[in-house]
Amino acid sequence: MYNGKFILRFEDTDPKIKRPSLIFYDSIRQDLKWLGCKVDEEYIQSDRLPIYYEYTERLIRDGNAYVCECPPEEFRKKTLAKEPCPCRILSAAENLERWKRMLSGGYSEGQAVVRVKTDLEHPNPAVRDWPALRVIDTKKYPHPRVGSKYIVWPLYNLAAGLDDHLMGMTHIIRGKEHYTNMVRQKYMYEYLGWKYPEAIHYGRLKITGAFLSKSKIVQGIKEGIYAGYDDPRLGTFAALRKRGITPEAIKKMIIDVGTKSNDVTLSWENLFSYNRKILDATSNRYFFVAGHAKITVKNIPKIFNAKLPLHPEKPEKGFRQYSITPIGDENASFFYVAEKDITNMETGKIIRLMELFNVKIEEKAGNWAGATFASESYEDVRKSKAQLIQWIPVGEEYPCSIIMPDASVTEGYAESACKKLKPDAIIQFERFGFVRINEADEKLVAYYAHK
RNA sequence: GCUCCGGUAGUAUAGUCCGGUCAAGUAUUCCGGCCUUUCGAGCCGAAGACCCGGGUCCAAAUCCCGGCCGGAGCACCA
């Protein structure tokens, strides 16, 4: 939209607490690819430690950063009192020495940290002399990508702060939990003589009823509550993709929501509406009947050839065809219909098998209904507003399971034309909803998107 | 507790900086109608909101003060 460049940067500088897992690097690339976000450049911070070291040295040499040996509690006490800690007043030369020692393994975990100087009077104590790099025992906690090669690791503010400038970032758009990080980093930018990029901090994005919290998701999967990262109950991109939510719909919605600093709770309805707009124009239509209910139609006067358009407004998309040949003395034929439609039938009423013919309901018994042929023309029932229902000739059924958004499964039959569908196709089952095909082998397995 | 943000219909968003054209626009949702061989889509119509209280002003959703509510940060996490 603005001719910007898209840089993907992996911020994997914590081998201990937020230990990155190798598979995430690729799943993030996958999600972006699916979303249609073309990555122009990619950086991984764990490859860039020498760069961070170089700038750290410069900060120390200029007296704008120092190596602090204070235990955290000691430092906090000092900083809350707006007093410098003993390390802060050391000369640049002494600090440079400490820095060298830090790199060469002279300190173990927790014994030293590099701090960037700020205003000790800053009203927010969290800003005062923030930590920039610390020691990690990578023998004990090897980094998944670079192992035990480094023992001094940068914190977010140093690594991301330097990279934002070094990579030519013009705009930083990130969650509002990073607001104070901007305040902190601005001191460093000042020292380096750099201009801080435009920063926009947005609120948390939630979607009603979906779990987006990473730790909750991971835990749920571990406990077997969720089938995986793409469980339909989750709000992950993988889950949305599996459910047939298009990347275009997601993008439209995100752009619509914009960047406000208060939290937003998106409703599925809105997402579905964006999605439906896209899908309705493109998706082919097919018949699906939920359940295993049947209807018998007698007195069918001739052979019928039904030609059903794949899309009501786009005849060029083609058709599927079924031939109905009445058999036996009673000229009968048999169809699967939705259980719900049987329930709603009333004896004596006329209903229409869509695009086929009209029948009169004669009797009902549980999962079955008996009917007689009434007439062929749609015009006959148009004025009476007879119910139009989907049907599948017995013999043309294709067993089908549909995974619903709550992970329950709706069993039924799809029409045999669906055997040609490929996984990932998103279609509409008329009067049922949009679904994404997941498998089309012995049986059709689909994920329900929405009405 | 301290340091910051923010509060417009069910949901999301425009307008707020630079007061009037906002008796508040849009999308979605809901309701009614039209149309349609899907209870889908489309079309038409209707309903629905400026957190509260003061102040400034000819005039406040917009500016000021106070309150209430919500959120974020206060890590050798990102």
Side-chain angles (χ1 to χ4, degrees), chain A residues 287 295 297 304 306-308 337 341 345 349-361 371-382 384-391 431:
Chain A
F287 285 176
I295 184 169
V297 182
F304 282 88
K307 205 173 165 202
L308 308 158
V337 295
D341 288 333
M345 283 174 190
K349 283 261 158 98
I350 305 273
I351 60 164
R352 179 170 179 82
L353 302 185
M354 202 177 147
E355 299 273 9
L356 186 62
F357 48 56
N358 311 314
V359 301
K360 184 178 176 192
I361 307 303
T372 50
F373 177 88
S375 63
E376 179 178 0
S377 154
Y378 169 62
E379 297 305 322
D380 291 351
V381 294
R382 190 173 186 162
S384 60
K385 301 209 166 166
Q387 175 77 69
L388 296 147
I389 66 167
Q390 280 63 230
W391 47 273
R431 282 175 64 237

Side-chain angles (χ1 to χ4, degrees), chain A residues 207 210-212 217 229 231-240 268:
Chain A
I207 204 161
F211 294 104
L212 291 177
I217 290 172
Y229 287 99
D231 188 290
R233 284 163 291 184
L234 300 175
T236 59
F237 283 130
L240 295 178
W268 288 102

Side-chain angles (χ1 to χ4, degrees), chain A residues 50-65:
Chain A
I51 298 169
Y52 307 132
Y53 291 168
E54 185 193 324
Y55 282 96
T56 302
E57 193 168 319
R58 179 167 151 197
L59 287 167
I60 295 174
R61 199 185 317 115
D62 294 346
N64 293 322

Side-chain angles (χ1 to χ4, degrees), chain A residues 318-339:
Chain A
F319 299 84
R320 67 268 193 215
Q321 298 191 50
Y322 294 101
S323 180
I324 309 302
T325 309
I327 53 164
D329 296 339
E330 298 188 297
N331 288 324
S333 198
F334 311 93
F335 305 90
Y336 286 104
V337 295
E339 238 165 61

Side-chain angles (χ1 to χ4, degrees), chain A residues 260-279:
Chain A
K260 299 236 299 179
S261 72
N262 53 351
D263 291 359
V264 292
T265 306
L266 270 1
S267 68
W268 288 102
E269 289 296 345
N270 282 351
L271 215 208
F272 292 164
S273 162
Y274 284 108
N275 202 231
R276 186 155 40 224
K277 209 155 277 176
I278 294 160
L279 257 29

